[in-house]
Amino acid sequence: MNDDRKTQALSAWRKLLEEPEIRMDAEEQYDELLKLADTMEQEGLITAGEWRQLVRKAGVKFAQATEGLEGGT
């Protein structure tokens, strides 16, 4: 059962990473990705190492989404 829950949770996380909800800006997407990762770790669905990987991926996505926005370009 835990494997099914883990698979479903990671699938939902990846979907949000690839396709943010309508009207969701990069910061909201990043925050939601971190919340989902935290919840998965707290529920014992993922390890601390897996949690770090998800957080890194969310950070990369956030950086890509905001690249160029701060330079006034």
Side-chain angles (χ1 to χ4, degrees):
M1 181 167 129
N2 258 1
D3 287 342
D4 287 343
R5 287 184 60 215
K6 179 178 180 174
T7 300
Q8 290 174 348
L10 287 172
S11 178
W13 189 93
R14 284 189 200 101
K15 183 175 183 200
L16 180 60
L17 180 72
E18 296 166 6
E19 302 171 21
E21 296 175 17
I22 296 173
R23 296 191 184 112
M24 179 178 271
D25 67 22
E27 188 172 345
E28 291 169 327
Q29 179 189 22
Y30 178 72
D31 287 344
E32 192 61 30
L33 287 167
L34 294 186
K35 285 179 196 174
L36 289 173
D38 287 347
T39 299
M40 285 187 275
E41 185 186 26
Q42 290 168 357
E43 292 179 0
L45 298 176
I46 61 173
T47 65
E50 291 170 317
W51 177 87
R52 279 190 297 278
Q53 289 177 334
L54 295 179
V55 169
R56 276 191 214 115
K57 287 180 183 180
V60 167
K61 182 72 171 183
F62 179 74
Q64 290 171 342
T66 59
E67 192 173 278
L69 295 179
E70 297 187 16
T73 56

